Amino acid sequence: MKIAIVCYPTFGGSGVVATELGLELARLGHEVHFITYSQPVRLALLSPNVHYHEVNVPEYPLFHYQPYELALSSKLVDMVKLYKIDVLHVHYAIPHAYAGYMAKQMLKNEGIEIPMITTLHGTDITLVGNHPHYKPAVSFSINKSDVVTSVSQSLKEDTYKLFNIKREIHVVPNFIELDKNIKDYNIPCQRTLIAKPEERIITHISNFRKVKCIPDIVRIFYKIQQEIPAKLLMVGDGPEKEKAELLCQELGIVEKVIFFGNSNEIDKILSNSDLFLLPSETESFGLAALEAMAWGVPVISSNSGGLPEVNFDGVSGYLSNVGNVDEMADNALKILKDDAVLAQFKDNALLVAQKFDIKHILPLYIDIYEKAIRKYTKKSKHSSRPHKE
Ligand code: GMT
């Protein structure tokens, strides 16, 4: 198949999922075209079957806002025609589903029909998409997608609750490539560079937005380090980071907290961690928690959104109500105080993560693509694939 993937190229989970999905499809021999405004952070360009097409938005003094959707839909039209793409897969509804729909319409005008799969990731529904200024366009483009998927059951329910959606939403959970972790286990141990041997290593990774409840992370850690030797690794960058640094100063724990900024060494960090904190106000899935679990790191999280579908309470970690810092700290200590308990939770975390191995999830996407393409093959004049029906 020839698949065009539209995503955000940043460190956010939706871009990571889209990139890993594309890379795995390429490894299986499919031709994958990433179309976005800069090279996705996890994309290695020198892989066979992987193409990247940059969307440029020319500046003009009249534009107060650059018309990205327009440039993206034009680029999609050009790339679909040039490479005879079979299917469009857009990640994050805003504005990708809207731009994808416009591209479909322009192509239809030229006799080319192509299916569009829209994957909903979370804030495109719960925080941003639901804003009255976006809502009609988001509802419209979801309803006009050929197939809609959501990354959790909770997000599917939220979408039906918040929007007037008339089509089926398929739940396709996010995934992790476990084989890669096993291979990378041989990276030389960096633990001594980060912490003293007796210290537990606690980690948080995110884009440091308000929704991640960053001050709660610092406060949970503050309570933990009062009881046991520990270090906190804060990985990522965003609007709440400075506030977190100030809070660490106020609480007198600066020397116990390391702020890494955005990092391409997530695997090394997670492979040396003992606990992961994700107390978010809302989280449609919590890919960062799954990535931690795949390295055998238990998770203390809130119970909001799709987190209970990923982090199993009392098994791979614990869940608490949003803002219940005391309970989260107590649960963290339950896991961290005892070596045997920690070892059990680490094993469990990996076992739960195995349910989300890419081997189980990839066939779901491939099946969706193939069914959607089959429906369209008859109609389109440019399909690269023989018609199967
Ligand atoms: O807000 C973020 O955390 C980033 C956002 C994104 O654009 O990638 O994440 C959303 O999508 C991820 C991948 O599907 C999910 O794992 C995150 O839970 C979701 N974030 C929220 O729902 C807040």
mmCIF file with all atom_site columns, all heavy atoms in Angstrom, residues 8 12-15 17 92 120-123 126-127 151 174 207 209 211-212 282-288, ligand 1:
data_model
loop_
_atom_site.group_PDB
_atom_site.id
_atom_site.type_symbol
_atom_site.label_atom_id
_atom_site.label_alt_id
_atom_site.label_comp_id
_atom_site.label_asym_id
_atom_site.label_entity_id
_atom_site.label_seq_id
_atom_site.pdbx_PDB_ins_code
_atom_site.Cartn_x
_atom_site.Cartn_y
_atom_site.Cartn_z
_atom_site.occupancy
_atom_site.B_iso_or_equiv
_atom_site.pdbx_formal_charge
_atom_site.auth_seq_id
_atom_site.auth_comp_id
_atom_site.auth_asym_id
_atom_site.auth_atom_id
_atom_site.pdbx_PDB_model_num
ATOM   1   N N   . TYR A 1 8   ? 1.459   15.865 13.660 1.00 0.00 ? 8   TYR A N   1
ATOM   2   C CA  . TYR A 1 8   ? 2.313   16.909 14.216 1.00 0.00 ? 8   TYR A CA  1
ATOM   3   C C   . TYR A 1 8   ? 3.715   16.310 14.377 1.00 0.00 ? 8   TYR A C   1
ATOM   4   O O   . TYR A 1 8   ? 3.844   15.194 14.863 1.00 0.00 ? 8   TYR A O   1
ATOM   5   C CB  . TYR A 1 8   ? 1.765   17.417 15.553 1.00 0.00 ? 8   TYR A CB  1
ATOM   6   C CG  . TYR A 1 8   ? 0.627   18.379 15.355 1.00 0.00 ? 8   TYR A CG  1
ATOM   7   C CD1 . TYR A 1 8   ? -0.688  17.996 15.566 1.00 0.00 ? 8   TYR A CD1 1
ATOM   8   C CD2 . TYR A 1 8   ? 0.882   19.660 14.887 1.00 0.00 ? 8   TYR A CD2 1
ATOM   9   C CE1 . TYR A 1 8   ? -1.732  18.884 15.339 1.00 0.00 ? 8   TYR A CE1 1
ATOM   10  C CE2 . TYR A 1 8   ? -0.150  20.548 14.652 1.00 0.00 ? 8   TYR A CE2 1
ATOM   11  C CZ  . TYR A 1 8   ? -1.448  20.157 14.878 1.00 0.00 ? 8   TYR A CZ  1
ATOM   12  O OH  . TYR A 1 8   ? -2.468  21.036 14.635 1.00 0.00 ? 8   TYR A OH  1
ATOM   13  N N   . GLY A 1 12  ? 4.943   15.486 21.035 1.00 0.00 ? 12  GLY A N   1
ATOM   14  C CA  . GLY A 1 12  ? 3.629   15.045 21.536 1.00 0.00 ? 12  GLY A CA  1
ATOM   15  C C   . GLY A 1 12  ? 3.329   13.610 21.130 1.00 0.00 ? 12  GLY A C   1
ATOM   16  O O   . GLY A 1 12  ? 3.826   13.114 20.119 1.00 0.00 ? 12  GLY A O   1
ATOM   17  N N   . GLY A 1 13  ? 2.489   12.961 21.936 1.00 0.00 ? 13  GLY A N   1
ATOM   18  C CA  . GLY A 1 13  ? 2.185   11.537 21.728 1.00 0.00 ? 13  GLY A CA  1
ATOM   19  C C   . GLY A 1 13  ? 1.591   11.227 20.363 1.00 0.00 ? 13  GLY A C   1
ATOM   20  O O   . GLY A 1 13  ? 1.903   10.198 19.763 1.00 0.00 ? 13  GLY A O   1
ATOM   21  N N   . SER A 1 14  ? 0.733   12.124 19.834 1.00 0.00 ? 14  SER A N   1
ATOM   22  C CA  . SER A 1 14  ? 0.081   11.799 18.558 1.00 0.00 ? 14  SER A CA  1
ATOM   23  C C   . SER A 1 14  ? 1.114   11.705 17.434 1.00 0.00 ? 14  SER A C   1
ATOM   24  O O   . SER A 1 14  ? 1.040   10.816 16.579 1.00 0.00 ? 14  SER A O   1
ATOM   25  C CB  . SER A 1 14  ? -0.993  12.825 18.215 1.00 0.00 ? 14  SER A CB  1
ATOM   26  O OG  . SER A 1 14  ? -0.426  14.107 18.081 1.00 0.00 ? 14  SER A OG  1
ATOM   27  N N   . GLY A 1 15  ? 2.118   12.608 17.470 1.00 0.00 ? 15  GLY A N   1
ATOM   28  C CA  . GLY A 1 15  ? 3.179   12.575 16.457 1.00 0.00 ? 15  GLY A CA  1
ATOM   29  C C   . GLY A 1 15  ? 4.052   11.342 16.603 1.00 0.00 ? 15  GLY A C   1
ATOM   30  O O   . GLY A 1 15  ? 4.482   10.742 15.611 1.00 0.00 ? 15  GLY A O   1
ATOM   31  N N   . VAL A 1 17  ? 3.115   8.399  17.907 1.00 0.00 ? 17  VAL A N   1
ATOM   32  C CA  . VAL A 1 17  ? 2.341   7.235  17.453 1.00 0.00 ? 17  VAL A CA  1
ATOM   33  C C   . VAL A 1 17  ? 2.321   7.182  15.921 1.00 0.00 ? 17  VAL A C   1
ATOM   34  O O   . VAL A 1 17  ? 2.567   6.134  15.312 1.00 0.00 ? 17  VAL A O   1
ATOM   35  C CB  . VAL A 1 17  ? 0.894   7.300  18.010 1.00 0.00 ? 17  VAL A CB  1
ATOM   36  C CG1 . VAL A 1 17  ? -0.017  6.301  17.318 1.00 0.00 ? 17  VAL A CG1 1
ATOM   37  C CG2 . VAL A 1 17  ? 0.901   7.063  19.508 1.00 0.00 ? 17  VAL A CG2 1
ATOM   38  N N   . TYR A 1 92  ? -4.738  13.411 14.724 1.00 0.00 ? 92  TYR A N   1
ATOM   39  C CA  . TYR A 1 92  ? -5.152  14.630 15.419 1.00 0.00 ? 92  TYR A CA  1
ATOM   40  C C   . TYR A 1 92  ? -6.088  15.401 14.480 1.00 0.00 ? 92  TYR A C   1
ATOM   41  O O   . TYR A 1 92  ? -5.684  15.861 13.414 1.00 0.00 ? 92  TYR A O   1
ATOM   42  C CB  . TYR A 1 92  ? -3.944  15.492 15.809 1.00 0.00 ? 92  TYR A CB  1
ATOM   43  C CG  . TYR A 1 92  ? -4.184  16.359 17.026 1.00 0.00 ? 92  TYR A CG  1
ATOM   44  C CD1 . TYR A 1 92  ? -3.896  15.889 18.313 1.00 0.00 ? 92  TYR A CD1 1
ATOM   45  C CD2 . TYR A 1 92  ? -4.703  17.647 16.888 1.00 0.00 ? 92  TYR A CD2 1
ATOM   46  C CE1 . TYR A 1 92  ? -4.105  16.698 19.426 1.00 0.00 ? 92  TYR A CE1 1
ATOM   47  C CE2 . TYR A 1 92  ? -4.911  18.453 18.002 1.00 0.00 ? 92  TYR A CE2 1
ATOM   48  C CZ  . TYR A 1 92  ? -4.608  17.983 19.257 1.00 0.00 ? 92  TYR A CZ  1
ATOM   49  O OH  . TYR A 1 92  ? -4.822  18.786 20.357 1.00 0.00 ? 92  TYR A OH  1
ATOM   50  N N   . LEU A 1 120 ? -8.353  10.090 16.263 1.00 0.00 ? 120 LEU A N   1
ATOM   51  C CA  . LEU A 1 120 ? -8.521  11.091 17.320 1.00 0.00 ? 120 LEU A CA  1
ATOM   52  C C   . LEU A 1 120 ? -7.561  10.748 18.443 1.00 0.00 ? 120 LEU A C   1
ATOM   53  O O   . LEU A 1 120 ? -7.458  9.586  18.846 1.00 0.00 ? 120 LEU A O   1
ATOM   54  C CB  . LEU A 1 120 ? -9.969  11.071 17.831 1.00 0.00 ? 120 LEU A CB  1
ATOM   55  C CG  . LEU A 1 120 ? -11.040 11.163 16.742 1.00 0.00 ? 120 LEU A CG  1
ATOM   56  C CD1 . LEU A 1 120 ? -12.431 10.982 17.343 1.00 0.00 ? 120 LEU A CD1 1
ATOM   57  C CD2 . LEU A 1 120 ? -10.945 12.507 16.014 1.00 0.00 ? 120 LEU A CD2 1
ATOM   58  N N   . HIS A 1 121 ? -6.862  11.764 18.954 1.00 0.00 ? 121 HIS A N   1
ATOM   59  C CA  . HIS A 1 121 ? -5.824  11.471 19.954 1.00 0.00 ? 121 HIS A CA  1
ATOM   60  C C   . HIS A 1 121 ? -6.142  11.966 21.359 1.00 0.00 ? 121 HIS A C   1
ATOM   61  O O   . HIS A 1 121 ? -5.556  11.466 22.313 1.00 0.00 ? 121 HIS A O   1
ATOM   62  C CB  . HIS A 1 121 ? -4.480  12.036 19.488 1.00 0.00 ? 121 HIS A CB  1
ATOM   63  C CG  . HIS A 1 121 ? -3.790  11.107 18.535 1.00 0.00 ? 121 HIS A CG  1
ATOM   64  N ND1 . HIS A 1 121 ? -2.995  10.070 18.955 1.00 0.00 ? 121 HIS A ND1 1
ATOM   65  C CD2 . HIS A 1 121 ? -3.822  11.041 17.188 1.00 0.00 ? 121 HIS A CD2 1
ATOM   66  C CE1 . HIS A 1 121 ? -2.537  9.413  17.902 1.00 0.00 ? 121 HIS A CE1 1
ATOM   67  N NE2 . HIS A 1 121 ? -3.028  9.984  16.807 1.00 0.00 ? 121 HIS A NE2 1
ATOM   68  N N   . GLY A 1 122 ? -7.003  12.943 21.509 1.00 0.00 ? 122 GLY A N   1
ATOM   69  C CA  . GLY A 1 122 ? -7.306  13.366 22.888 1.00 0.00 ? 122 GLY A CA  1
ATOM   70  C C   . GLY A 1 122 ? -7.676  14.822 22.964 1.00 0.00 ? 122 GLY A C   1
ATOM   71  O O   . GLY A 1 122 ? -8.861  15.181 22.925 1.00 0.00 ? 122 GLY A O   1
ATOM   72  N N   . THR A 1 123 ? -6.670  15.681 23.040 1.00 0.00 ? 123 THR A N   1
ATOM   73  C CA  . THR A 1 123 ? -6.981  17.101 23.224 1.00 0.00 ? 123 THR A CA  1
ATOM   74  C C   . THR A 1 123 ? -7.677  17.688 21.991 1.00 0.00 ? 123 THR A C   1
ATOM   75  O O   . THR A 1 123 ? -8.338  18.719 22.096 1.00 0.00 ? 123 THR A O   1
ATOM   76  C CB  . THR A 1 123 ? -5.701  17.895 23.547 1.00 0.00 ? 123 THR A CB  1
ATOM   77  O OG1 . THR A 1 123 ? -4.659  17.481 22.656 1.00 0.00 ? 123 THR A OG1 1
ATOM   78  C CG2 . THR A 1 123 ? -5.242  17.643 24.967 1.00 0.00 ? 123 THR A CG2 1
ATOM   79  N N   . THR A 1 126 ? -11.105 16.659 23.608 1.00 0.00 ? 126 THR A N   1
ATOM   80  C CA  . THR A 1 126 ? -11.482 17.041 24.966 1.00 0.00 ? 126 THR A CA  1
ATOM   81  C C   . THR A 1 126 ? -11.185 18.498 25.311 1.00 0.00 ? 126 THR A C   1
ATOM   82  O O   . THR A 1 126 ? -11.941 19.122 26.038 1.00 0.00 ? 126 THR A O   1
ATOM   83  C CB  . THR A 1 126 ? -10.762 16.142 25.980 1.00 0.00 ? 126 THR A CB  1
ATOM   84  O OG1 . THR A 1 126 ? -9.355  16.175 25.697 1.00 0.00 ? 126 THR A OG1 1
ATOM   85  C CG2 . THR A 1 126 ? -11.241 14.714 25.912 1.00 0.00 ? 126 THR A CG2 1
ATOM   86  N N   . LEU A 1 127 ? -10.088 19.042 24.840 1.00 0.00 ? 127 LEU A N   1
ATOM   87  C CA  . LEU A 1 127 ? -9.724  20.405 25.251 1.00 0.00 ? 127 LEU A CA  1
ATOM   88  C C   . LEU A 1 127 ? -9.869  21.426 24.133 1.00 0.00 ? 127 LEU A C   1
ATOM   89  O O   . LEU A 1 127 ? -10.511 22.442 24.300 1.00 0.00 ? 127 LEU A O   1
ATOM   90  C CB  . LEU A 1 127 ? -8.275  20.439 25.761 1.00 0.00 ? 127 LEU A CB  1
ATOM   91  C CG  . LEU A 1 127 ? -7.997  19.768 27.107 1.00 0.00 ? 127 LEU A CG  1
ATOM   92  C CD1 . LEU A 1 127 ? -6.530  19.941 27.484 1.00 0.00 ? 127 LEU A CD1 1
ATOM   93  C CD2 . LEU A 1 127 ? -8.861  20.359 28.205 1.00 0.00 ? 127 LEU A CD2 1
ATOM   94  N N   . VAL A 1 151 ? -7.986  6.470  20.265 1.00 0.00 ? 151 VAL A N   1
ATOM   95  C CA  . VAL A 1 151 ? -6.918  5.699  20.903 1.00 0.00 ? 151 VAL A CA  1
ATOM   96  C C   . VAL A 1 151 ? -7.359  5.024  22.200 1.00 0.00 ? 151 VAL A C   1
ATOM   97  O O   . VAL A 1 151 ? -6.581  4.283  22.793 1.00 0.00 ? 151 VAL A O   1
ATOM   98  C CB  . VAL A 1 151 ? -5.649  6.562  21.140 1.00 0.00 ? 151 VAL A CB  1
ATOM   99  C CG1 . VAL A 1 151 ? -5.075  7.057  19.819 1.00 0.00 ? 151 VAL A CG1 1
ATOM   100 C CG2 . VAL A 1 151 ? -5.942  7.735  22.070 1.00 0.00 ? 151 VAL A CG2 1
ATOM   101 N N   . ASN A 1 174 ? -3.162  2.896  21.359 1.00 0.00 ? 174 ASN A N   1
ATOM   102 C CA  . ASN A 1 174 ? -1.757  3.166  21.046 1.00 0.00 ? 174 ASN A CA  1
ATOM   103 C C   . ASN A 1 174 ? -0.926  1.927  21.357 1.00 0.00 ? 174 ASN A C   1
ATOM   104 O O   . ASN A 1 174 ? -1.390  1.009  22.035 1.00 0.00 ? 174 ASN A O   1
ATOM   105 C CB  . ASN A 1 174 ? -1.267  4.359  21.852 1.00 0.00 ? 174 ASN A CB  1
ATOM   106 C CG  . ASN A 1 174 ? -1.856  5.648  21.328 1.00 0.00 ? 174 ASN A CG  1
ATOM   107 O OD1 . ASN A 1 174 ? -2.190  5.739  20.149 1.00 0.00 ? 174 ASN A OD1 1
ATOM   108 N ND2 . ASN A 1 174 ? -2.007  6.637  22.186 1.00 0.00 ? 174 ASN A ND2 1
ATOM   109 N N   . ASN A 1 207 ? 4.904   17.321 27.744 1.00 0.00 ? 207 ASN A N   1
ATOM   110 C CA  . ASN A 1 207 ? 5.118   18.632 27.128 1.00 0.00 ? 207 ASN A CA  1
ATOM   111 C C   . ASN A 1 207 ? 4.847   19.760 28.132 1.00 0.00 ? 207 ASN A C   1
ATOM   112 O O   . ASN A 1 207 ? 4.662   20.907 27.736 1.00 0.00 ? 207 ASN A O   1
ATOM   113 C CB  . ASN A 1 207 ? 4.227   18.781 25.892 1.00 0.00 ? 207 ASN A CB  1
ATOM   114 C CG  . ASN A 1 207 ? 2.822   18.321 26.180 1.00 0.00 ? 207 ASN A CG  1
ATOM   115 O OD1 . ASN A 1 207 ? 2.370   18.351 27.333 1.00 0.00 ? 207 ASN A OD1 1
ATOM   116 N ND2 . ASN A 1 207 ? 2.119   17.882 25.164 1.00 0.00 ? 207 ASN A ND2 1
ATOM   117 N N   . ARG A 1 209 ? 2.421   20.902 29.806 1.00 0.00 ? 209 ARG A N   1
ATOM   118 C CA  . ARG A 1 209 ? 1.263   21.793 29.688 1.00 0.00 ? 209 ARG A CA  1
ATOM   119 C C   . ARG A 1 209 ? 0.441   21.682 30.960 1.00 0.00 ? 209 ARG A C   1
ATOM   120 O O   . ARG A 1 209 ? 0.583   20.731 31.724 1.00 0.00 ? 209 ARG A O   1
ATOM   121 C CB  . ARG A 1 209 ? 0.440   21.428 28.451 1.00 0.00 ? 209 ARG A CB  1
ATOM   122 C CG  . ARG A 1 209 ? 1.098   21.970 27.203 1.00 0.00 ? 209 ARG A CG  1
ATOM   123 C CD  . ARG A 1 209 ? 0.194   21.910 26.008 1.00 0.00 ? 209 ARG A CD  1
ATOM   124 N NE  . ARG A 1 209 ? 0.407   20.676 25.283 1.00 0.00 ? 209 ARG A NE  1
ATOM   125 C CZ  . ARG A 1 209 ? -0.577  19.934 24.800 1.00 0.00 ? 209 ARG A CZ  1
ATOM   126 N NH1 . ARG A 1 209 ? -1.827  20.271 24.982 1.00 0.00 ? 209 ARG A NH1 1
ATOM   127 N NH2 . ARG A 1 209 ? -0.313  18.838 24.138 1.00 0.00 ? 209 ARG A NH2 1
ATOM   128 N N   . VAL A 1 211 ? -2.456  20.733 31.621 1.00 0.00 ? 211 VAL A N   1
ATOM   129 C CA  . VAL A 1 211 ? -3.228  19.492 31.757 1.00 0.00 ? 211 VAL A CA  1
ATOM   130 C C   . VAL A 1 211 ? -2.420  18.368 32.442 1.00 0.00 ? 211 VAL A C   1
ATOM   131 O O   . VAL A 1 211 ? -2.976  17.417 32.982 1.00 0.00 ? 211 VAL A O   1
ATOM   132 C CB  . VAL A 1 211 ? -3.759  19.086 30.348 1.00 0.00 ? 211 VAL A CB  1
ATOM   133 C CG1 . VAL A 1 211 ? -2.645  18.611 29.449 1.00 0.00 ? 211 VAL A CG1 1
ATOM   134 C CG2 . VAL A 1 211 ? -4.860  18.073 30.427 1.00 0.00 ? 211 VAL A CG2 1
ATOM   135 N N   . LYS A 1 212 ? -1.101  18.505 32.463 1.00 0.00 ? 212 LYS A N   1
ATOM   136 C CA  . LYS A 1 212 ? -0.240  17.463 33.044 1.00 0.00 ? 212 LYS A CA  1
ATOM   137 C C   . LYS A 1 212 ? -0.091  17.604 34.566 1.00 0.00 ? 212 LYS A C   1
ATOM   138 O O   . LYS A 1 212 ? 0.559   16.786 35.204 1.00 0.00 ? 212 LYS A O   1
ATOM   139 C CB  . LYS A 1 212 ? 1.158   17.494 32.400 1.00 0.00 ? 212 LYS A CB  1
ATOM   140 C CG  . LYS A 1 212 ? 1.154   17.348 30.886 1.00 0.00 ? 212 LYS A CG  1
ATOM   141 C CD  . LYS A 1 212 ? 0.745   15.949 30.453 1.00 0.00 ? 212 LYS A CD  1
ATOM   142 C CE  . LYS A 1 212 ? 0.548   15.880 28.959 1.00 0.00 ? 212 LYS A CE  1
ATOM   143 N NZ  . LYS A 1 212 ? 0.080   14.595 28.470 1.00 0.00 ? 212 LYS A NZ  1
ATOM   144 N N   . THR A 1 282 ? -6.462  15.325 32.532 1.00 0.00 ? 282 THR A N   1
ATOM   145 C CA  . THR A 1 282 ? -7.138  14.459 31.563 1.00 0.00 ? 282 THR A CA  1
ATOM   146 C C   . THR A 1 282 ? -6.058  13.863 30.646 1.00 0.00 ? 282 THR A C   1
ATOM   147 O O   . THR A 1 282 ? -5.037  14.494 30.384 1.00 0.00 ? 282 THR A O   1
ATOM   148 C CB  . THR A 1 282 ? -8.216  15.210 30.745 1.00 0.00 ? 282 THR A CB  1
ATOM   149 O OG1 . THR A 1 282 ? -8.570  14.385 29.631 1.00 0.00 ? 282 THR A OG1 1
ATOM   150 C CG2 . THR A 1 282 ? -7.729  16.518 30.210 1.00 0.00 ? 282 THR A CG2 1
ATOM   151 N N   . GLU A 1 283 ? -6.324  12.631 30.212 1.00 0.00 ? 283 GLU A N   1
ATOM   152 C CA  . GLU A 1 283 ? -5.329  11.927 29.396 1.00 0.00 ? 283 GLU A CA  1
ATOM   153 C C   . GLU A 1 283 ? -6.117  10.879 28.609 1.00 0.00 ? 283 GLU A C   1
ATOM   154 O O   . GLU A 1 283 ? -6.647  9.939  29.194 1.00 0.00 ? 283 GLU A O   1
ATOM   155 C CB  . GLU A 1 283 ? -4.313  11.258 30.337 1.00 0.00 ? 283 GLU A CB  1
ATOM   156 C CG  . GLU A 1 283 ? -2.993  10.919 29.759 1.00 0.00 ? 283 GLU A CG  1
ATOM   157 C CD  . GLU A 1 283 ? -2.115  12.144 29.473 1.00 0.00 ? 283 GLU A CD  1
ATOM   158 O OE1 . GLU A 1 283 ? -1.677  12.823 30.410 1.00 0.00 ? 283 GLU A OE1 1
ATOM   159 O OE2 . GLU A 1 283 ? -1.886  12.396 28.291 1.00 0.00 ? 283 GLU A OE2 1
ATOM   160 N N   . SER A 1 284 ? -6.200  11.073 27.300 1.00 0.00 ? 284 SER A N   1
ATOM   161 C CA  . SER A 1 284 ? -7.054  10.145 26.543 1.00 0.00 ? 284 SER A CA  1
ATOM   162 C C   . SER A 1 284 ? -6.478  8.734  26.550 1.00 0.00 ? 284 SER A C   1
ATOM   163 O O   . SER A 1 284 ? -7.200  7.753  26.464 1.00 0.00 ? 284 SER A O   1
ATOM   164 C CB  . SER A 1 284 ? -7.163  10.617 25.101 1.00 0.00 ? 284 SER A CB  1
ATOM   165 O OG  . SER A 1 284 ? -5.916  10.430 24.468 1.00 0.00 ? 284 SER A OG  1
ATOM   166 N N   . PHE A 1 285 ? -5.175  8.615  26.665 1.00 0.00 ? 285 PHE A N   1
ATOM   167 C CA  . PHE A 1 285 ? -4.525  7.307  26.677 1.00 0.00 ? 285 PHE A CA  1
ATOM   168 C C   . PHE A 1 285 ? -3.373  7.311  27.681 1.00 0.00 ? 285 PHE A C   1
ATOM   169 O O   . PHE A 1 285 ? -3.354  6.552  28.631 1.00 0.00 ? 285 PHE A O   1
ATOM   170 C CB  . PHE A 1 285 ? -4.025  6.960  25.268 1.00 0.00 ? 285 PHE A CB  1
ATOM   171 C CG  . PHE A 1 285 ? -3.400  5.595  25.173 1.00 0.00 ? 285 PHE A CG  1
ATOM   172 C CD1 . PHE A 1 285 ? -4.168  4.472  24.883 1.00 0.00 ? 285 PHE A CD1 1
ATOM   173 C CD2 . PHE A 1 285 ? -2.030  5.426  25.383 1.00 0.00 ? 285 PHE A CD2 1
ATOM   174 C CE1 . PHE A 1 285 ? -3.589  3.213  24.821 1.00 0.00 ? 285 PHE A CE1 1
ATOM   175 C CE2 . PHE A 1 285 ? -1.445  4.165  25.314 1.00 0.00 ? 285 PHE A CE2 1
ATOM   176 C CZ  . PHE A 1 285 ? -2.230  3.062  25.028 1.00 0.00 ? 285 PHE A CZ  1
ATOM   177 N N   . GLY A 1 286 ? -2.383  8.165  27.437 1.00 0.00 ? 286 GLY A N   1
ATOM   178 C CA  . GLY A 1 286 ? -1.211  8.212  28.321 1.00 0.00 ? 286 GLY A CA  1
ATOM   179 C C   . GLY A 1 286 ? -0.079  7.390  27.723 1.00 0.00 ? 286 GLY A C   1
ATOM   180 O O   . GLY A 1 286 ? 0.449   6.471  28.354 1.00 0.00 ? 286 GLY A O   1
ATOM   181 N N   . LEU A 1 287 ? 0.314   7.752  26.497 1.00 0.00 ? 287 LEU A N   1
ATOM   182 C CA  . LEU A 1 287 ? 1.382   6.999  25.819 1.00 0.00 ? 287 LEU A CA  1
ATOM   183 C C   . LEU A 1 287 ? 2.670   6.983  26.636 1.00 0.00 ? 287 LEU A C   1
ATOM   184 O O   . LEU A 1 287 ? 3.381   5.972  26.662 1.00 0.00 ? 287 LEU A O   1
ATOM   185 C CB  . LEU A 1 287 ? 1.640   7.617  24.434 1.00 0.00 ? 287 LEU A CB  1
ATOM   186 C CG  . LEU A 1 287 ? 2.683   6.886  23.595 1.00 0.00 ? 287 LEU A CG  1
ATOM   187 C CD1 . LEU A 1 287 ? 2.181   5.514  23.165 1.00 0.00 ? 287 LEU A CD1 1
ATOM   188 C CD2 . LEU A 1 287 ? 3.076   7.708  22.366 1.00 0.00 ? 287 LEU A CD2 1
ATOM   189 N N   . ALA A 1 288 ? 2.953   8.093  27.318 1.00 0.00 ? 288 ALA A N   1
ATOM   190 C CA  . ALA A 1 288 ? 4.196   8.165  28.099 1.00 0.00 ? 288 ALA A CA  1
ATOM   191 C C   . ALA A 1 288 ? 4.178   7.096  29.196 1.00 0.00 ? 288 ALA A C   1
ATOM   192 O O   . ALA A 1 288 ? 5.211   6.469  29.473 1.00 0.00 ? 288 ALA A O   1
ATOM   193 C CB  . ALA A 1 288 ? 4.344   9.560  28.702 1.00 0.00 ? 288 ALA A CB  1
HETATM 194 O O1  . GMT B 2 .   ? -1.507  16.693 25.190 1.00 0.00 ? 1   GMT B O1  1
HETATM 195 C C1  . GMT B 2 .   ? -0.663  15.835 25.000 1.00 0.00 ? 1   GMT B C1  1
HETATM 196 O O2  . GMT B 2 .   ? -0.240  15.111 25.863 1.00 0.00 ? 1   GMT B O2  1
HETATM 197 C C2  . GMT B 2 .   ? -0.190  15.642 23.595 1.00 0.00 ? 1   GMT B C2  1
HETATM 198 C C3  . GMT B 2 .   ? -1.239  14.932 22.803 1.00 0.00 ? 1   GMT B C3  1
HETATM 199 C C4  . GMT B 2 .   ? -0.684  14.859 21.418 1.00 0.00 ? 1   GMT B C4  1
HETATM 200 O O3  . GMT B 2 .   ? -0.988  15.718 20.632 1.00 0.00 ? 1   GMT B O3  1
HETATM 201 O O4  . GMT B 2 .   ? 0.071   14.008 21.099 1.00 0.00 ? 1   GMT B O4  1
HETATM 202 O O5  . GMT B 2 .   ? -1.451  13.699 23.477 1.00 0.00 ? 1   GMT B O5  1
HETATM 203 C C5  . GMT B 2 .   ? -2.671  13.045 23.294 1.00 0.00 ? 1   GMT B C5  1
HETATM 204 O O6  . GMT B 2 .   ? -2.393  11.965 22.407 1.00 0.00 ? 1   GMT B O6  1
HETATM 205 C C6  . GMT B 2 .   ? -1.533  10.939 22.924 1.00 0.00 ? 1   GMT B C6  1
HETATM 206 C C7  . GMT B 2 .   ? -1.293  9.909  21.834 1.00 0.00 ? 1   GMT B C7  1
HETATM 207 O O7  . GMT B 2 .   ? -2.477  9.308  21.426 1.00 0.00 ? 1   GMT B O7  1
HETATM 208 C C8  . GMT B 2 .   ? -2.166  10.318 24.176 1.00 0.00 ? 1   GMT B C8  1
HETATM 209 O O8  . GMT B 2 .   ? -1.332  9.311  24.682 1.00 0.00 ? 1   GMT B O8  1
HETATM 210 C C9  . GMT B 2 .   ? -2.348  11.423 25.229 1.00 0.00 ? 1   GMT B C9  1
HETATM 211 O O9  . GMT B 2 .   ? -3.014  10.863 26.338 1.00 0.00 ? 1   GMT B O9  1
HETATM 212 C C10 . GMT B 2 .   ? -3.187  12.557 24.664 1.00 0.00 ? 1   GMT B C10 1
HETATM 213 N N1  . GMT B 2 .   ? -3.161  13.675 25.613 1.00 0.00 ? 1   GMT B N1  1
HETATM 214 C C11 . GMT B 2 .   ? -4.261  14.044 26.297 1.00 0.00 ? 1   GMT B C11 1
HETATM 215 O O10 . GMT B 2 .   ? -5.346  13.498 26.187 1.00 0.00 ? 1   GMT B O10 1
HETATM 216 C C12 . GMT B 2 .   ? -4.048  15.162 27.253 1.00 0.00 ? 1   GMT B C12 1
#
